[in-house]
Amino acid sequence: MKLLEDKIRNEGIVLPHNVLKVDGFLNHQVDPELMFEIGKEFARLFKDKDITKVLTVESSGIAPAVMAGLALNVPVVFARKHKSLTLTDDLFTAEVYSYTKQTTNHISISKRFLSSQDRVLLVDDFLANGQAISGLLDIADAAGIDVEGVGIVIEKTFQRGSQVVRDRGIQLESLARIKALTDDGQIEFEK
Amino acid sequence: MKLLEDKIRNEGIVLPHNVLKVDGFLNHQVDPELMFEIGKEFARLFKDKDITKVLTVESSGIAPAVMAGLALNVPVVFARKHKSLTLTDDLFTAEVYSYTKQTTNHISISKRFLSSQDRVLLVDDFLANGQAISGLLDIADAAGIDVEGVGIVIEKTFQRGSQVVRDRGIQLESLARIKALTDDGQIEFEK
């Protein structure tokens, strides 16, 4: 998606340890018009999948997911993050390890908002090691739900997250695919 | 806003201690079309304020705030919540007490995304005791920013949050105003 790649080129900042900082338009400050276009693009890419619900994880996934839900005309559910979980009877839960923060969090979705009839699209801001998406896939499994697609705003193709999705035969669409972040701050996209 | 009031009447659940559960369309599952209409309504209500930026707090404020930003054609910044803060040189921070959870959190916004030239609209999902909005007002003060308006999806008018805003002479617009949640589960709106 050219609009997005241009934005990443112009405003993305490369930090050590393969961190790409895009907090100027995606995960702290948000560009609503860009999110709206991203939502429309996800809807176009998954238009044949009869999606009934979009799932994401708080907080950075919410803006692109809600725009995807708007374009697809379906509800969005964002999983909540918790340090620990005690009462879980009415929740589907999964563990998510953060490589950046080196902590394990739990994510949860209320059972009331997932039905085995649902055909869901998972949306997230980044796909790197695939931990958040794996957590959502675990929740979908627990709920007996078909995951019809995974929509990612920025994928780091040099990390192994995509394998998690492709191993399960799920359609993966990443709107920007980055193959390298160089030591001198360059961002290289997949052709 | 009639569409919102109807949604609250039909899907809102009254819990003990004046809790109104609206996680079916606002703060866990999200109704994107409703959020879009809410965003347009905020833009209409604050159209004369020359808003340059919308501020909110993660996570439940993000959906309505991004839709307000879309309708106003301005960026949105969501404050991040932290249990504690250590390195704060590049952040504006404030304390926010949660009556529901009885914990104090910190919220922060990167200094890069606030300029003293900004004219901001604060948006949040709920206004009850006004703690989150007070935190955002503290950050705006620290940044030397004019707060031109506060847009709330659901206000509990029987709690004191509105006073915090009105004491400062700031325009407050709440799209649904609830005057009482009764023991038998009724939701009474202000006329």
Side-chain angles (χ1 to χ4, degrees):
Chain A
M1 188 180 178
K2 181 161 187 315
L3 184 67
L4 175 63
E5 288 187 7
D6 289 347
K7 196 87 173 174
I8 294 168
R9 261 192 210 94
N10 293 333
E11 300 185 25
I13 299 165
V14 179
L15 297 179
H17 308 295
N18 282 323
V19 172
L20 174 64
K21 198 165 179 169
V22 287
D23 61 354
F25 59 92
L26 184 57
N27 47 25
H28 184 25
Q29 182 165 259
V30 177
D31 178 337
E33 184 62 38
L34 177 64
M35 295 301 121
F36 186 67
E37 295 300 324
I38 283 171
K40 283 197 293 185
E41 182 66 4
F42 283 140
R44 188 183 70 77
L45 292 164
F46 296 103
K47 67 180 187 307
D48 299 326
K49 294 288 191 179
D50 298 324
I51 301 297
T52 63
K53 202 159 275 187
V54 174
L55 305 188
T56 189
V57 180
E58 66 180 354
S59 291
S60 307
I62 295 175
V66 169
M67 291 302 185
L70 183 70
L72 287 161
N73 197 24
V74 300
V76 176
V77 181
F78 60 87
R80 291 203 168 269
K81 286 179 191 162
H82 310 262
K83 283 282 168 218
S84 61
L85 278 173
T86 45
L87 295 166
T88 59
D89 278 2
D90 58 346
L91 301 175
F92 293 114
T93 65
E95 281 193 2
V96 174
Y97 179 75
S98 165
Y99 284 88
T100 323
K101 298 179 186 163
Q102 302 197 337
T103 55
T104 298
N105 279 296
H106 294 80
I107 61 171
S108 72
I109 293 181
S110 170
K111 290 184 179 177
R112 289 182 295 136
F113 302 127
L114 294 176
S115 138
S116 59
Q117 312 301 310
D118 275 322
R119 298 168 57 89
V120 302
L121 170 65
L122 311 185
V123 167
D124 209 1
D125 58 335
F126 268 98
L127 182 66
N129 289 298
Q131 292 294 305
I133 288 295
S134 289
L136 287 174
L137 288 168
D138 290 346
I139 284 177
D141 285 346
I145 284 181
D146 287 334
V147 176
E148 294 295 325
V150 174
I152 299 293
V153 180
I154 302 175
E155 178 186 342
K156 293 173 176 171
T157 61
F158 57 90
Q159 290 178 297
R160 63 196 174 77
S162 67
Q163 206 56 43
V164 172
V165 182
R166 294 216 177 85
D167 282 350
R168 300 176 52 138
I170 297 170
Q171 182 183 346
L172 170 66
E173 302 286 353
S174 303
L175 304 188
R177 301 178 70 230
I178 292 173
K179 72 173 175 195
L181 299 168
T182 66
D183 289 343
D184 62 343
Q186 297 300 302
I187 303 165
E188 292 177 13
F189 292 89
E190 298 276 353
K191 294 278 184 281
Chain B
M1 189 180 177
K2 183 164 184 314
L3 183 68
L4 174 64
E5 287 187 8
D6 289 347
K7 195 88 174 172
I8 295 168
R9 262 193 209 94
N10 293 333
E11 301 184 25
I13 300 165
V14 179
L15 297 179
H17 309 295
N18 282 322
V19 172
L20 175 64
K21 199 164 177 169
V22 287
D23 60 354
F25 58 91
L26 184 56
N27 47 26
H28 184 25
Q29 182 164 260
V30 177
D31 178 337
E33 185 60 39
L34 178 63
M35 294 304 120
F36 186 68
E37 294 301 323
I38 283 171
K40 283 197 293 185
E41 183 66 2
F42 282 141
R44 189 184 69 78
L45 291 164
F46 296 102
K47 67 180 186 309
D48 299 326
K49 294 289 191 178
D50 299 323
I51 302 296
T52 63
K53 200 159 278 188
V54 174
L55 305 189
T56 189
V57 179
E58 66 178 353
S59 289
S60 306
I62 295 175
V66 169
M67 291 302 184
L70 184 69
L72 287 161
N73 197 24
V74 299
V76 175
V77 180
F78 60 88
R80 293 206 167 266
K81 286 179 189 161
H82 312 259
K83 283 284 168 219
S84 60
L85 278 173
T86 44
L87 294 166
T88 58
D89 278 2
D90 57 347
L91 302 174
F92 293 115
T93 66
E95 281 193 2
V96 174
Y97 179 75
S98 165
Y99 284 88
T100 322
K101 298 180 185 162
Q102 302 197 336
T103 53
T104 297
N105 278 297
H106 294 80
I107 61 171
S108 72
I109 293 181
S110 169
K111 290 184 179 176
R112 287 183 297 137
F113 302 127
L114 294 176
S115 136
S116 58
Q117 311 301 311
D118 274 323
R119 299 166 57 88
V120 302
L121 170 64
L122 311 185
V123 167
D124 209 1
D125 58 335
F126 269 97
L127 181 66
N129 288 299
Q131 293 294 305
I133 289 294
S134 289
L136 287 175
L137 288 168
D138 289 345
I139 284 177
D141 284 346
I145 284 180
D146 285 333
V147 176
E148 295 295 325
V150 173
I152 299 293
V153 180
I154 302 175
E155 178 186 342
K156 294 173 174 169
T157 61
F158 56 90
Q159 289 178 299
R160 63 195 174 76
S162 66
Q163 206 57 44
V164 171
V165 182
R166 292 215 177 85
D167 282 350
R168 300 175 52 138
I170 298 170
Q171 182 182 347
L172 169 66
E173 301 285 353
S174 302
L175 304 188
R177 302 179 70 231
I178 292 171
K179 73 173 174 196
L181 300 168
T182 67
D183 290 341
D184 63 342
Q186 297 299 303
I187 302 165
E188 292 177 13
F189 292 90
E190 299 276 354
K191 293 279 184 280

mmCIF file of all heavy atoms in Angstrom, chain A residues 22 28-29 34 36 39 44 58 64 82 104-105 117 121 126-127 137 140-141 145 157 159 168 186:
data_model
loop_
_atom_site.group_PDB
_atom_site.id
_atom_site.type_symbol
_atom_site.label_atom_id
_atom_site.label_comp_id
_atom_site.label_asym_id
_atom_site.label_seq_id
_atom_site.Cartn_x
_atom_site.Cartn_y
_atom_site.Cartn_z
ATOM 1 N N VAL A 22 6.975 4.045 14.763
ATOM 2 C CA VAL A 22 5.973 4.690 13.899
ATOM 3 C C VAL A 22 4.896 5.325 14.780
ATOM 4 O O VAL A 22 3.715 5.307 14.449
ATOM 5 C CB VAL A 22 5.339 3.689 12.899
ATOM 6 C CG1 VAL A 22 6.325 3.336 11.799
ATOM 7 C CG2 VAL A 22 4.853 2.444 13.617
ATOM 8 N N HIS A 28 0.787 5.831 18.694
ATOM 9 C CA HIS A 28 0.688 6.783 19.817
ATOM 10 C C HIS A 28 -0.090 7.991 19.286
ATOM 11 O O HIS A 28 -1.234 8.199 19.645
ATOM 12 C CB HIS A 28 2.070 7.151 20.341
ATOM 13 C CG HIS A 28 2.069 8.045 21.551
ATOM 14 N ND1 HIS A 28 1.020 8.093 22.430
ATOM 15 C CD2 HIS A 28 3.000 8.918 22.033
ATOM 16 C CE1 HIS A 28 1.303 8.970 23.395
ATOM 17 N NE2 HIS A 28 2.476 9.478 23.173
ATOM 18 N N GLN A 29 0.527 8.732 18.352
ATOM 19 C CA GLN A 29 -0.290 9.603 17.521
ATOM 20 C C GLN A 29 -0.821 8.732 16.376
ATOM 21 O O GLN A 29 -0.120 7.849 15.888
ATOM 22 C CB GLN A 29 0.536 10.767 16.983
ATOM 23 C CG GLN A 29 -0.269 11.735 16.154
ATOM 24 C CD GLN A 29 0.443 13.067 15.929
ATOM 25 O OE1 GLN A 29 0.156 14.056 16.574
ATOM 26 N NE2 GLN A 29 1.378 13.085 14.991
ATOM 27 N N LEU A 34 -5.400 7.935 7.284
ATOM 28 C CA LEU A 34 -4.618 6.765 6.879
ATOM 29 C C LEU A 34 -5.271 5.485 7.406
ATOM 30 O O LEU A 34 -5.361 4.477 6.697
ATOM 31 C CB LEU A 34 -3.180 6.887 7.399
ATOM 32 C CG LEU A 34 -2.244 5.712 7.117
ATOM 33 C CD1 LEU A 34 -2.021 5.529 5.611
ATOM 34 C CD2 LEU A 34 -0.904 5.899 7.834
ATOM 35 N N PHE A 36 -8.401 5.039 7.977
ATOM 36 C CA PHE A 36 -9.611 4.834 7.180
ATOM 37 C C PHE A 36 -9.259 4.129 5.860
ATOM 38 O O PHE A 36 -9.940 3.171 5.452
ATOM 39 C CB PHE A 36 -10.257 6.203 6.912
ATOM 40 C CG PHE A 36 -11.591 6.143 6.231
ATOM 41 C CD1 PHE A 36 -12.699 5.612 6.873
ATOM 42 C CD2 PHE A 36 -11.741 6.642 4.940
ATOM 43 C CE1 PHE A 36 -13.934 5.574 6.231
ATOM 44 C CE2 PHE A 36 -12.970 6.608 4.300
ATOM 45 C CZ PHE A 36 -14.065 6.071 4.943
ATOM 46 N N GLY A 39 -8.376 0.536 6.595
ATOM 47 C CA GLY A 39 -9.595 -0.246 6.813
ATOM 48 C C GLY A 39 -10.243 -0.657 5.505
ATOM 49 O O GLY A 39 -10.655 -1.812 5.322
ATOM 50 N N ARG A 44 -11.254 -4.720 1.177
ATOM 51 C CA ARG A 44 -11.110 -5.141 -0.221
ATOM 52 C C ARG A 44 -10.397 -6.495 -0.302
ATOM 53 O O ARG A 44 -10.825 -7.403 -1.010
ATOM 54 C CB ARG A 44 -10.310 -4.073 -0.986
ATOM 55 C CG ARG A 44 -10.246 -4.273 -2.487
ATOM 56 C CD ARG A 44 -9.373 -3.224 -3.159
ATOM 57 N NE ARG A 44 -7.950 -3.396 -2.862
ATOM 58 C CZ ARG A 44 -7.150 -4.307 -3.426
ATOM 59 N NH1 ARG A 44 -7.643 -5.139 -4.333
ATOM 60 N NH2 ARG A 44 -5.871 -4.386 -3.106
ATOM 61 N N GLU A 58 -5.787 -4.742 22.314
ATOM 62 C CA GLU A 58 -5.522 -3.357 22.702
ATOM 63 C C GLU A 58 -4.019 -3.127 22.769
ATOM 64 O O GLU A 58 -3.287 -4.074 23.016
ATOM 65 C CB GLU A 58 -6.189 -3.025 24.053
ATOM 66 C CG GLU A 58 -5.610 -3.798 25.229
ATOM 67 C CD GLU A 58 -6.289 -3.436 26.555
ATOM 68 O OE1 GLU A 58 -7.118 -2.530 26.617
ATOM 69 O OE2 GLU A 58 -5.949 -4.103 27.544
ATOM 70 N N PRO A 64 -6.763 0.604 13.432
ATOM 71 C CA PRO A 64 -6.950 -0.076 12.140
ATOM 72 C C PRO A 64 -8.084 -1.107 12.162
ATOM 73 O O PRO A 64 -8.794 -1.270 11.168
ATOM 74 C CB PRO A 64 -5.590 -0.742 11.870
ATOM 75 C CG PRO A 64 -4.859 -0.743 13.163
ATOM 76 C CD PRO A 64 -5.391 0.414 13.955
ATOM 77 N N HIS A 82 -3.766 -8.294 30.319
ATOM 78 C CA HIS A 82 -3.719 -8.347 31.781
ATOM 79 C C HIS A 82 -2.337 -8.837 32.181
ATOM 80 O O HIS A 82 -1.748 -9.656 31.488
ATOM 81 C CB HIS A 82 -4.723 -9.355 32.332
ATOM 82 C CG HIS A 82 -6.110 -9.227 31.806
ATOM 83 N ND1 HIS A 82 -7.100 -8.577 32.486
ATOM 84 C CD2 HIS A 82 -6.673 -9.666 30.654
ATOM 85 C CE1 HIS A 82 -8.217 -8.628 31.767
ATOM 86 N NE2 HIS A 82 -7.984 -9.286 30.656
ATOM 87 N N THR A 104 5.526 -11.717 30.039
ATOM 88 C CA THR A 104 4.382 -12.470 29.547
ATOM 89 C C THR A 104 3.098 -11.809 30.036
ATOM 90 O O THR A 104 2.929 -11.564 31.224
ATOM 91 C CB THR A 104 4.431 -13.924 30.044
ATOM 92 O OG1 THR A 104 5.614 -14.543 29.525
ATOM 93 C CG2 THR A 104 3.211 -14.707 29.563
ATOM 94 N N ASN A 105 2.241 -11.492 29.095
ATOM 95 C CA ASN A 105 0.929 -10.970 29.438
ATOM 96 C C ASN A 105 -0.124 -11.990 29.069
ATOM 97 O O ASN A 105 0.126 -12.904 28.288
ATOM 98 C CB ASN A 105 0.648 -9.684 28.653
ATOM 99 C CG ASN A 105 1.303 -8.475 29.282
ATOM 100 O OD1 ASN A 105 0.971 -8.086 30.393
ATOM 101 N ND2 ASN A 105 2.240 -7.885 28.566
ATOM 102 N N GLN A 117 -20.166 -19.686 15.215
ATOM 103 C CA GLN A 117 -20.623 -19.341 13.858
ATOM 104 C C GLN A 117 -19.769 -18.236 13.227
ATOM 105 O O GLN A 117 -19.892 -17.973 12.032
ATOM 106 C CB GLN A 117 -22.077 -18.847 13.889
ATOM 107 C CG GLN A 117 -23.031 -19.718 14.673
ATOM 108 C CD GLN A 117 -23.090 -21.120 14.126
ATOM 109 O OE1 GLN A 117 -23.271 -21.314 12.938
ATOM 110 N NE2 GLN A 117 -22.890 -22.121 14.986
ATOM 111 N N LEU A 121 -11.721 -12.014 11.102
ATOM 112 C CA LEU A 121 -10.495 -11.424 10.573
ATOM 113 C C LEU A 121 -9.712 -10.890 11.756
ATOM 114 O O LEU A 121 -10.239 -10.121 12.555
ATOM 115 C CB LEU A 121 -10.852 -10.275 9.610
ATOM 116 C CG LEU A 121 -9.685 -9.396 9.142
ATOM 117 C CD1 LEU A 121 -8.694 -10.190 8.297
ATOM 118 C CD2 LEU A 121 -10.219 -8.187 8.349
ATOM 119 N N PHE A 126 1.354 -4.537 14.031
ATOM 120 C CA PHE A 126 2.641 -5.116 13.637
ATOM 121 C C PHE A 126 2.574 -6.631 13.622
ATOM 122 O O PHE A 126 1.879 -7.244 14.426
ATOM 123 C CB PHE A 126 3.735 -4.704 14.641
ATOM 124 C CG PHE A 126 4.466 -3.456 14.262
ATOM 125 C CD1 PHE A 126 4.115 -2.231 14.821
ATOM 126 C CD2 PHE A 126 5.504 -3.502 13.342
ATOM 127 C CE1 PHE A 126 4.792 -1.072 14.467
ATOM 128 C CE2 PHE A 126 6.186 -2.351 12.987
ATOM 129 C CZ PHE A 126 5.835 -1.132 13.550
ATOM 130 N N LEU A 127 3.329 -7.231 12.722
ATOM 131 C CA LEU A 127 3.605 -8.666 12.780
ATOM 132 C C LEU A 127 5.120 -8.809 12.778
ATOM 133 O O LEU A 127 5.783 -8.469 11.788
ATOM 134 C CB LEU A 127 3.001 -9.410 11.587
ATOM 135 C CG LEU A 127 3.206 -10.932 11.592
ATOM 136 C CD1 LEU A 127 2.463 -11.592 12.756
ATOM 137 C CD2 LEU A 127 2.734 -11.545 10.267
ATOM 138 N N LEU A 137 -5.060 -16.409 17.776
ATOM 139 C CA LEU A 137 -5.371 -17.716 17.172
ATOM 140 C C LEU A 137 -5.726 -18.732 18.257
ATOM 141 O O LEU A 137 -6.651 -19.541 18.092
ATOM 142 C CB LEU A 137 -4.187 -18.219 16.333
ATOM 143 C CG LEU A 137 -3.944 -17.482 15.005
ATOM 144 C CD1 LEU A 137 -2.582 -17.859 14.422
ATOM 145 C CD2 LEU A 137 -5.054 -17.797 14.000
ATOM 146 N N ALA A 140 -9.233 -17.998 19.263
ATOM 147 C CA ALA A 140 -10.166 -18.474 18.224
ATOM 148 C C ALA A 140 -10.326 -19.988 18.312
ATOM 149 O O ALA A 140 -11.441 -20.514 18.188
ATOM 150 C CB ALA A 140 -9.669 -18.053 16.841
ATOM 151 N N ASP A 141 -9.223 -20.705 18.541
ATOM 152 C CA ASP A 141 -9.295 -22.167 18.699
ATOM 153 C C ASP A 141 -10.194 -22.533 19.878
ATOM 154 O O ASP A 141 -11.065 -23.405 19.774
ATOM 155 C CB ASP A 141 -7.898 -22.760 18.947
ATOM 156 C CG ASP A 141 -7.064 -22.807 17.671
ATOM 157 O OD1 ASP A 141 -7.652 -22.641 16.582
ATOM 158 O OD2 ASP A 141 -5.845 -23.001 17.777
ATOM 159 N N ILE A 145 -13.733 -21.139 16.506
ATOM 160 C CA ILE A 145 -14.038 -20.169 15.452
ATOM 161 C C ILE A 145 -13.116 -20.346 14.253
ATOM 162 O O ILE A 145 -11.934 -20.629 14.415
ATOM 163 C CB ILE A 145 -13.842 -18.739 16.013
ATOM 164 C CG1 ILE A 145 -15.010 -18.374 16.905
ATOM 165 C CG2 ILE A 145 -13.673 -17.724 14.905
ATOM 166 C CD1 ILE A 145 -14.872 -16.988 17.460
ATOM 167 N N THR A 157 9.222 -8.877 7.613
ATOM 168 C CA THR A 157 9.288 -10.204 6.983
ATOM 169 C C THR A 157 10.542 -10.966 7.395
ATOM 170 O O THR A 157 10.625 -12.176 7.163
ATOM 171 C CB THR A 157 9.250 -10.091 5.443
ATOM 172 O OG1 THR A 157 10.390 -9.340 5.019
ATOM 173 C CG2 THR A 157 7.975 -9.407 4.983
ATOM 174 N N GLN A 159 11.385 -11.453 10.401
ATOM 175 C CA GLN A 159 11.093 -12.181 11.635
ATOM 176 C C GLN A 159 10.065 -13.268 11.311
ATOM 177 O O GLN A 159 9.598 -13.367 10.178
ATOM 178 C CB GLN A 159 10.670 -11.207 12.731
ATOM 179 C CG GLN A 159 11.890 -10.379 13.177
ATOM 180 C CD GLN A 159 11.592 -9.343 14.234
ATOM 181 O OE1 GLN A 159 10.827 -8.420 14.011
ATOM 182 N NE2 GLN A 159 12.226 -9.458 15.386
ATOM 183 N N ARG A 168 -0.896 -22.441 9.170
ATOM 184 C CA ARG A 168 -2.283 -22.839 9.361
ATOM 185 C C ARG A 168 -3.129 -22.614 8.119
ATOM 186 O O ARG A 168 -4.352 -22.773 8.152
ATOM 187 C CB ARG A 168 -2.868 -22.086 10.556
ATOM 188 C CG ARG A 168 -2.093 -22.391 11.842
ATOM 189 C CD ARG A 168 -2.591 -21.587 13.009
ATOM 190 N NE ARG A 168 -4.010 -21.690 13.195
ATOM 191 C CZ ARG A 168 -4.611 -21.824 14.370
ATOM 192 N NH1 ARG A 168 -3.893 -21.908 15.468
ATOM 193 N NH2 ARG A 168 -5.911 -21.874 14.456
ATOM 194 N N GLN A 186 18.188 2.896 7.490
ATOM 195 C CA GLN A 186 17.383 2.719 6.280
ATOM 196 C C GLN A 186 16.294 1.670 6.499
ATOM 197 O O GLN A 186 16.461 0.724 7.265
ATOM 198 C CB GLN A 186 18.256 2.259 5.109
ATOM 199 C CG GLN A 186 19.323 3.259 4.692
ATOM 200 C CD GLN A 186 18.726 4.588 4.265
ATOM 201 O OE1 GLN A 186 17.913 4.647 3.347
ATOM 202 N NE2 GLN A 186 19.091 5.656 4.957
#
